[in-house]
Amino acid sequence: MGNCFQVASYPIKYGLMGRLKRILLWVLGVYITIPFLVKLCPSIQAKLVFLNFVRLPYFIDLKRPQDHGLNHTYNFYLQPETGVNIGVWHTVPDQMWKEAQGKDREWYDSTFKSPYPVMLYLHGNAGTRGGDHRVQLYKVLSLLGYHVVTFDYRGWGDSDGSPSESGMTSDALFLYQWLKERVGSKPLNVWGHSLGTGVATNLVRRLCDRGMPPNSLVLESPFTNIREEAKSHPFSMVYRYLPGFEWFFLDTISANDIRFASDENVDHISCPLLILHAEDDSVVPFHLGKKLYNIASQSKSLSGHKLQFIPFPVSLAYKHKFIYRSPELCAHIHCGKKCFTVDNLCLDLRPTEQK
């Protein structure tokens, strides 16, 4: 009986080893195939940068911002170019909440004549303008006394078209000009988050080159440029030390005309700049935000403008998208001023480094 059991155990043992070897060979084959597939089909890499096909949360109706607790928000569509419609949300300041109930677009447009400042919010990759962390920030900014205008770039959410860096920047420029026509001389600010910081610096560089800078620029969880961000992203970890990593992956991003070169753009920006970054951000590492600040601090165009870098320690656990939870962002709700600006907000945020 003992001998029979031993004889029977050998095929089982070798069968398991054979299966493990086949699995390992399959994993190795996939690991080797992916870089070549990305190189041969650059559009795959573009999709991984934009992630516009990842629509989270699922099954939301972007025509109904009130479903997200934004019952002082109006949804509408604009056309930055023929055949391209983009979805837009306009949230009025919390002080106008009661008056906003049941109002139409004409009323919402008329509120731009109010004394409250405006924030154009540029979101990052994946999801839509209805992403939860984005909605929570709109609420905070509304409480601070801002009109918040946000939109989905072409190819995101319910907006038409396909994504590209040039298209995203064009959409942002169109929205800014549309707002400027309605706001006039009142404060108009720009806030970008994650990939949206690249769009924001592209936009503000163009505005400054034209001699019409915004009142301020806020960069939340920014990076220096897309190559450095891609190299530092957790998704790249399994290939980061592969020979030819830059050729396979980073050069392919460049081949798609995707640069988001904020490190170059800050040399052309001439308005107050605030950078917010959590030390425990694993998506856009903290060191990239700090590096961008260091580059900006040497910028001649920013000389004479307020420049601040505000780190949020690991203990707060704000990670990549929860800085809106910081109680300091709401510090000015009770300051007694009728109009809040990013410049005023910067003064009381702590801890801070200031140029």
Side-chain angles (χ1 to χ4, degrees), residues 53-84:
F53 58 90
V54 179
R55 181 169 172 166
L56 294 172
Y58 294 107
F59 311 118
I60 66 168
D61 186 354
L62 293 170
K63 294 182 176 66
R64 293 180 53 82
Q66 61 268 33
D67 292 347
H68 306 275
L70 293 172
N71 49 6
H72 54 321
T73 299
Y74 192 78
N75 175 76
F76 59 101
Y77 298 87
L78 294 174
Q79 193 172 67
E81 61 184 62
T82 304
V84 177

Side-chain angles (χ1 to χ4, degrees), residues 91-94 117-119 141-142 144-148 189 340-342:
T91 301
V92 295
D94 190 70
V118 179
M119 183 71 75
L141 293 174
S142 174
L144 284 170
Y146 286 95
H147 291 273
V148 183
N189 312 280
F340 301 92
T341 67
V342 171

Side-chain angles (χ1 to χ4, degrees), residues 21 50 69 114 161 184 196 218 247 254 282:
K21 284 180 180 178
F50 298 129
S114 68
V218 181
W247 184 77
S254 300
S282 60

